[in-house]
Amino acid sequence: MNIETIIESLVALFINRPFIEMLIKVLIFPGLMFPLLFVVFAVWFERKLLAKVHLRIGPLHVGPGPLGGIFQLIADALKLLQKEIIVPYNAHKILYNILPLAMPMISLAAMAFIPVAPFPSVGPVDYLVVFYTPYNILVVLALFAIHPFLVIGVGWASGSKYTTMGALRAAYQLLAYEVPVMLSAACVVMVTGSFDLIKIVESQANIWYILLLPIAFLVFFVSMMAELGRRPFDIPHAEQEIVYGWATEFTGVHYVCVMFAEYVNLCVASCLVTLLFLGGWLGPVLPPAAWFLIKFGIVVVFFLMGRGVYPRLRIDQLLNAGWRILIPLALIQIFIILVLAKFAPWILPVTFVGG
Amino acid sequence: MSIMRVRWGPQHPVSGQWAFWLDVDGDIVVNMEPDIGYTHRGIEKVAENRTYIQNVPVVERTSVFDAGNIVFGYVQAVEELMGIEIPERAKYIRTIVGEMSRIVSHLYGLGLLAIAVGFETMLMWFINDRELFLDLFEMLTGARITYSFFIPGGVLHDLPQGFYDEAMRRLDYFERRLKDYWKMFFLNRTFITRTRGVGVLKREDAIRLGVVGPNLRASGVEADVRKDEPYAAYDQIDFIIPTEKEGDAYARGGVRFHELEQSVSIIRQALKKIPDGKIRVKVPITPTPPKGEAYSRVETARGEIGYYIISDGSNRPYRVKISAPSFRNLLAMPFLSRNVPMADIPTIYLSLDLIPLDVDR
Amino acid sequence: MIKVEEEVVETLKQTFTEYVVEAKVQREKRVTVVVKRERLVEIARFLRDNLQFDHIASVSGVDYPEKNEFMVVYHVWSIPKKVLVALKTSVPRDNPHLSSLISVWEGVNYFERETWEMFGIIFDGHPNLSRFLLPEDWDRGFPFRKDFKLRTKPE
């Protein structure tokens, strides 16, 4: 076997369309690069946006002109990576070191199941998704639901009073938002008749679900905010009450991982809202990926604005809101869908078997 | 679940330079003990070893957030000991500075109340508008925070040229901002849910524990030294004492907010009515008041401050007792922190507007 | 104007004849009463219940080494009457015991604790006379006494 055949076989193996497409999917658009860039951009944008709300100027340096401060996060991350990893005396050493590293992995794993746009191609329609499964919404929500358990583990493993309190609060908060998330996602699934995000988006060709199912949208958005722990629901962190909640003890690499996971979660949640209710990549003129990014950006702004305009709720108030308002609202939405299916089925995109 | 003892401070985002020992059962605080003294400087002892004039900047350090009113009480006590009457113009200038100091302090206090419930925007807005008055202080006294502007016998400087126009311009702007505050902060549903019914201090308890200032008035007691025992030019100015009945954290914030409005009105009236004349009477550089004692009361932003000064006829006070407002309000803190959720501790603490500097002296 | 103040002085003089050493109107809204410490609690309770002095303003200790006594001054404000009374009593320096007024005005709690810490006056009946403002390992005596040596230079 001479060198040329090896090169030829390598070329045949790697320089072909499926492989390059896979590389693009895994490394660039919905894959690794997109969440990474999103985190850098979202943190910078959050700082700038909040500064505008606060009547401040916000970050000016470390970046060119109006993008001042954009490289600050990279600088911060590099600084934090150099720091000593301090493991508290009371901590469970193994869990304390592993769990924070697991957090971004699980968040990124959820990103792999999200289709963001059709791949621009001439042949059969392909989608920009790292791993396609027809049950991807279930997988994403399941991966989301793992996060609070990691938080509880981390809070316990840190062996400090404040982290324990933060973990307990995260556990309580889980009770408040998990059911509404599932119920409101179930509304969309019922109307579409499929667990496939691609089908869900394509069934919105006539009418977006934000118009068809406005109550489900509200419930989903609010409970996603609670799931992400954004203000007014940042109760497990609650800087003014329990220092930094479950993440109090983290330094250096651990802190970077925890923060990174939080922002990747924000990315996943915004993707979900866009796909489920805002018609995903559907839209005229512009390419589908651009439509997706525009809608995605708007959703992110709404998620970030919570910090500017709301104080934090107390845990009992959140539980009240979850059980007394969000769950009944979601149930009402399901009831409305059933009534529509019975009396006005032409509104819904699919016909119910029993309807 | 067993009771967990948590040390809340001094290394804590909002605790300030002191600590609370919290006995926590789950998420409920069953008992609380303050651990103070981190900023104890022994100002009362220091004051015994300095002359009366040297003491002015010393006592000001009791609470630099409200520097105008804190010194006010001290110089009044010294003047009472020496039996001097200050000129009318000085009285008006003192009133203006005192009210500006109250505004600055209340903005700080309300900002802290906002951050207690996690409302960063309002903190920034309040702190931002505090600059308006800090600039005015700089124009009038040359310093922004610790200006030591009052001396026994009067004030240090006259109003500078253009002060009237500048102050009026800023007050106009500030009044517009007050409307924004009301809409953004006090009508915010989440803020109302977080503060209504939190830390309710009943009228009888407030009097029994010796609570003073806005905290007392929020419990429905109409007690304000500016009305009860008018000093400076307060007897020639129209203003009302805002009170609330509920006695909760929201009421305490509301009283402070309405006091901001009253302060603006007081400054306007004082600037319009201010008479011409001298700004101080001649006082020797080391005054030696005759033997005697004086107790002077002044309404600072956090409540009434009392200065009990005993003179033995020398040029140094024999004893200076500072009865600081936060020290008197401190007793309400453990009283209110029984059987409340952990999340309400910062709300109660900062709605009482306690500051460690003032408590420790 | 000065009528309310004189009424307070007269009532106190008539009720606690030999225990009131001195009672006078210092100026408008200021009354000074010097009492013997044996009946301090009763006089304080009388002030609260019968004369409406309900709002504690301050508790100060004053050290008089040459007279070999401490003076303890309770300033109490009356919210309805708008008068401040200075209730003074003296304590011997070598046996500084005084009954606590916490049963009369609950607000004296921290004031008395501070006075104990700074002057060493022991308030009998106070629930918690423990370190408050000073460091926990403080061992240099009572700092507000006149014979406390100040360190002028760092050693």
Side-chain angles (χ1 to χ4, degrees):
Chain A
M1 205 194 265
N2 60 10
I3 194 88
E4 278 151 25
T5 40
I6 292 176
I7 291 174
E8 264 173 34
S9 57
L10 276 178
V11 166
L13 196 59
F14 292 117
I15 313 293
N16 58 23
R17 201 182 148 87
F19 184 76
I20 293 174
E21 279 185 3
M22 191 190 79
L23 270 188
I24 290 175
K25 285 179 196 169
V26 172
L27 292 181
I28 300 177
F29 188 22
L32 196 59
M33 213 55 201
F34 174 55
L36 275 175
L37 277 178
F38 169 78
V39 171
V40 172
F41 214 76
V43 172
W44 170 81
F45 186 70
E46 183 179 14
R47 287 177 183 164
K48 275 291 196 194
L49 181 77
L50 283 181
K52 280 270 179 292
V53 176
H54 292 169
L55 307 179
R56 291 185 287 124
I57 296 168
L60 277 179
H61 303 286
V62 206
L67 288 177
I70 191 142
F71 300 129
Q72 185 64 50
L73 187 81
I74 298 167
D76 283 349
L78 286 177
K79 178 204 71 177
L80 283 168
L81 289 177
Q82 295 170 19
K83 288 207 164 185
E84 184 193 355
I85 298 171
I86 299 169
V87 183
Y89 183 74
N90 280 333
H92 186 292
K93 306 277 179 307
I94 299 165
L95 285 180
Y96 182 84
N97 285 312
I98 288 177
L99 287 179
L101 303 181
M103 278 183 183
M105 288 181 199
I106 285 169
S107 310
L108 283 171
M111 206 54 215
F113 294 92
I114 289 179
V116 290
F119 204 95
S121 68
V122 275
V125 184
D126 188 15
Y127 290 93
L128 278 167
V129 52
V130 177
F131 185 85
Y132 174 74
T133 152
Y135 301 103
N136 41 20
I137 182 170
L138 281 181
V139 178
V140 172
L141 287 177
L143 283 172
F144 243 125
I146 294 179
H147 204 75
F149 294 99
L150 292 179
V151 166
I152 295 165
V154 155
W156 174 78
S158 297
S160 139
K161 288 168 184 170
Y162 286 117
T163 57
T164 313
M165 287 176 132
L168 288 176
R169 284 177 172 205
Y172 279 122
Q173 193 163 346
L174 175 70
L175 297 175
Y177 62 74
E178 204 55 47
V179 180
V181 163
M182 291 299 174
L183 283 177
S184 49
C187 294
V188 175
V189 172
M190 277 171 76
V191 170
T192 318
S194 166
F195 286 111
D196 188 353
L197 283 167
I198 295 173
K199 287 224 178 69
I200 287 173
V201 170
E202 276 165 3
S203 68
Q204 300 180 53
N206 294 326
I207 180 167
W208 292 358
Y209 288 151
I210 187 174
L211 302 173
L212 189 64
L213 311 167
I215 305 176
F217 168 74
L218 277 179
V219 173
F220 191 78
F221 188 81
V222 172
S223 35
M224 262 299 155
M225 222 159 174
E227 177 131 28
L228 293 172
R230 307 287 313 174
R231 200 161 291 161
F233 307 117
D234 60 341
I235 299 165
H237 278 313
E239 206 179 323
Q240 284 76 28
E241 293 149 25
I242 48 173
V243 190
Y244 203 61
W246 51 270
T248 303
E249 301 291 342
F250 286 142
T251 53
V253 179
H254 294 159
Y255 183 73
V256 172
C257 287
V258 165
M259 289 319 286
F260 182 67
E262 298 229 319
Y263 280 90
V264 175
N265 276 345
L266 173 64
C267 180
V268 176
S270 309
C271 286
L272 271 185
V273 174
T274 316
L275 294 172
L276 289 179
F277 293 98
L278 297 178
W281 52 82
L282 301 176
V285 189
L286 291 174
W291 271 113
F292 178 84
L293 286 178
I294 289 169
K295 292 170 184 175
F296 172 80
I298 291 169
V299 175
V300 170
V301 170
F302 273 90
F303 272 124
L304 295 180
M305 273 305 270
R307 223 178 124 189
V309 291
Y310 287 117
R312 183 186 307 112
L313 281 171
R314 215 164 52 206
I315 186 80
D316 54 320
Q317 289 160 350
L318 173 65
L319 286 169
N320 251 337
W323 285 86
R324 292 212 183 132
I325 300 170
L326 292 180
I327 292 179
L329 277 178
L331 291 173
I332 287 170
Q333 181 71 76
I334 290 177
F335 182 71
I336 292 173
I337 293 170
L338 293 175
V339 170
L340 284 178
K342 181 79 183 162
F343 297 105
W346 46 269
I347 293 181
L348 301 178
V350 292
T351 324
F352 276 74
V353 180
Chain B
M1 196 171 171
S2 64
I3 286 178
M4 184 160 71
R5 201 162 163 83
V6 180
R7 190 168 166 82
W8 202 84
Q11 294 274 352
H12 188 284
V14 293
S15 73
Q17 305 92 330
W18 62 0
F20 300 146
W21 283 109
L22 301 176
D23 292 337
V24 186
D25 181 1
D27 201 39
I28 304 291
V29 177
V30 290
N31 195 17
M32 179 276 207
E33 264 175 55
D35 177 8
I36 66 171
Y38 286 84
T39 57
H40 180 64
R41 291 144 290 172
I43 283 180
E44 294 172 16
K45 184 75 177 174
V46 172
E48 287 174 17
N49 294 288
R50 275 158 221 270
T51 63
Y52 284 94
I53 300 279
Q54 281 173 339
N55 274 336
V56 171
V58 173
V59 297
E60 189 176 52
R61 264 63 180 173
T62 306
S63 162
V64 289
F65 301 103
D66 189 15
N69 285 318
I70 293 282
V71 182
F72 214 142
Y74 174 77
V75 293
Q76 279 195 0
V78 176
E79 279 155 11
E80 190 185 327
L81 278 175
M82 296 170 69
I84 49 178
E85 183 72 19
I86 63 166
E88 277 294 298
R89 190 173 173 82
K91 283 184 181 173
Y92 272 89
I93 296 178
R94 280 185 180 184
T95 310
I96 293 166
V97 171
E99 287 307 312
M100 277 179 5
S101 175
R102 188 185 318 280
I103 290 177
V104 165
S105 177
H106 275 343
L107 286 177
Y108 195 83
L110 284 172
L112 287 180
L113 177 58
I115 201 68
V117 293
F119 202 174
E120 287 163 15
T121 306
M122 284 319 289
L123 172 76
M124 296 294 171
W125 283 21
F126 285 130
I127 297 296
N128 210 349
D129 286 340
R130 198 165 163 257
E131 292 295 313
L132 291 173
F133 295 94
L134 294 186
D135 290 347
L136 276 183
F137 277 134
E138 194 178 357
M139 195 175 171
L140 177 59
T141 68
R144 287 159 65 82
I145 308 279
T146 50
Y147 24 83
S148 304
F149 186 58
F150 301 163
I151 48 164
V155 293
L156 274 179
H157 308 294
D158 206 340
L159 296 181
Q161 273 204 334
F163 183 82
Y164 179 88
D165 298 330
E166 187 65 27
M168 284 297 182
R169 206 166 60 77
R170 278 160 194 259
L171 287 176
D172 286 341
Y173 172 78
F174 186 63
E175 267 188 337
R176 284 204 303 281
R177 292 290 290 164
L178 280 177
K179 293 196 183 80
D180 292 347
Y181 295 160
W182 186 254
K183 274 188 236 151
M184 179 82 179
F185 192 45
F186 289 94
L187 296 183
N188 190 317
R189 279 287 296 278
T190 320
F191 177 70
I192 294 174
T193 4
R194 271 311 294 278
T195 49
R196 266 280 175 236
V198 171
V200 179
L201 190 61
K202 293 198 190 67
R203 190 193 149 93
E204 308 80 58
D205 292 330
I207 295 175
R208 188 166 54 83
L209 296 171
V211 168
V212 287
N215 305 331
L216 184 62
R217 295 194 280 279
S219 301
V221 184
E222 201 168 311
D224 189 318
V225 186
R226 290 176 292 170
K227 281 276 188 203
D228 294 346
E229 197 182 314
Y231 53 93
Y234 284 110
D235 48 349
Q236 297 158 38
I237 284 171
D238 282 339
F239 64 101
I240 55 165
I241 310 170
T243 54
E244 304 264 348
K245 288 188 295 296
E246 289 85 357
D248 52 11
Y250 186 84
R252 290 194 276 274
V255 165
R256 294 210 174 82
F257 176 81
H258 294 304
E259 281 190 10
L260 287 178
E261 295 174 338
Q262 290 304 315
S263 295
V264 170
S265 139
I266 292 172
I267 296 175
R268 277 181 197 282
Q269 291 179 44
L271 277 172
K272 283 192 183 122
K273 280 171 137 179
I274 187 164
D276 289 336
K278 294 206 311 183
I279 56 162
R280 60 172 173 265
V281 294
K282 199 146 176 65
V283 169
I285 196 131
T286 49
T288 47
K291 262 189 177 188
E293 60 180 58
Y295 188 91
S296 116
R297 302 163 75 236
V298 157
E299 187 73 22
T300 71
R302 282 171 186 77
E304 166 201 333
I305 193 169
Y307 280 92
Y308 180 49
I309 302 185
I310 300 177
S311 156
D312 60 349
S314 71
N315 59 2
R316 280 144 211 241
Y318 190 75
R319 172 92 171 97
V320 178
K321 166 74 192 175
I322 307 171
S323 174
S326 286
F327 189 77
R328 296 164 72 178
N329 289 333
L330 176 63
L331 205 49
M333 186 68 209
F335 177 78
L336 293 178
S337 315
R338 293 215 177 97
N339 300 322
V340 296
M342 178 82 177
D344 283 344
I345 292 289
T347 319
I348 293 171
Y349 159 40
L350 294 170
S351 74
L352 287 170
D353 209 358
L354 304 171
I355 49 167
L357 282 179
D358 211 356
V359 171
D360 292 348
R361 304 187 301 288
Chain C
M1 278 300 271
I2 215 124
K3 221 174 79 196
V4 189
E5 290 85 335
E6 263 156 14
E7 200 182 294
V8 171
V9 168
E10 286 311 311
T11 328
L12 275 177
K13 271 185 182 160
Q14 279 158 22
T15 324
F16 300 96
T17 43
E18 71 267 42
Y19 290 99
V20 174
V21 179
E22 189 195 350
K24 65 168 190 219
V25 180
Q26 196 187 343
R27 69 168 171 92
E28 194 190 328
K29 292 184 193 298
R30 295 281 186 279
V31 175
T32 309
V33 186
V34 185
V35 300
K36 289 186 180 161
R37 67 179 164 135
E38 290 82 15
R39 298 289 295 275
L40 179 69
V41 180
E42 284 93 275
I43 294 171
R45 189 161 286 133
F46 181 81
L47 276 174
R48 184 194 68 181
D49 293 341
N50 298 33
L51 297 173
Q52 297 168 305
F53 283 90
D54 46 3
H55 199 222
I56 187 82
S58 142
V59 178
S60 338
V62 190
D63 186 10
Y64 290 107
E66 61 276 11
K67 282 195 245 170
N68 197 24
E69 67 177 28
F70 291 120
M71 180 105 89
V72 180
V73 189
Y74 291 85
H75 284 99
V76 192
W77 174 254
S78 163
I79 290 174
K81 277 201 168 82
K82 301 194 196 306
V83 174
L84 186 92
V85 64
L87 183 64
K88 296 183 181 180
T89 186
S90 52
V91 186
R93 215 159 176 275
D94 30 21
N95 181 25
H97 275 272
L98 190 66
S99 35
S100 167
L101 290 190
I102 199 159
S103 57
V104 185
W105 295 294
E106 208 171 306
V108 300
N109 189 340
Y110 289 166
F111 281 119
E112 287 190 342
R113 205 167 150 191
E114 189 200 0
T115 311
W116 165 78
E117 190 170 37
M118 297 303 172
F119 288 92
I121 302 167
I122 298 159
F123 291 91
D124 299 321
H126 191 283
N128 184 16
L129 286 183
S130 57
R131 279 270 169 259
F132 198 36
L133 284 158
L134 296 178
E136 248 130 68
D137 54 352
W138 179 263
D139 58 352
R140 296 186 53 212
F142 302 105
F144 281 14
R145 288 189 180 184
K146 284 285 174 189
D147 50 8
F148 180 79
K149 289 273 180 298
L150 287 180
R151 277 187 197 149
T152 45
K153 278 183 209 150
E155 286 163 20

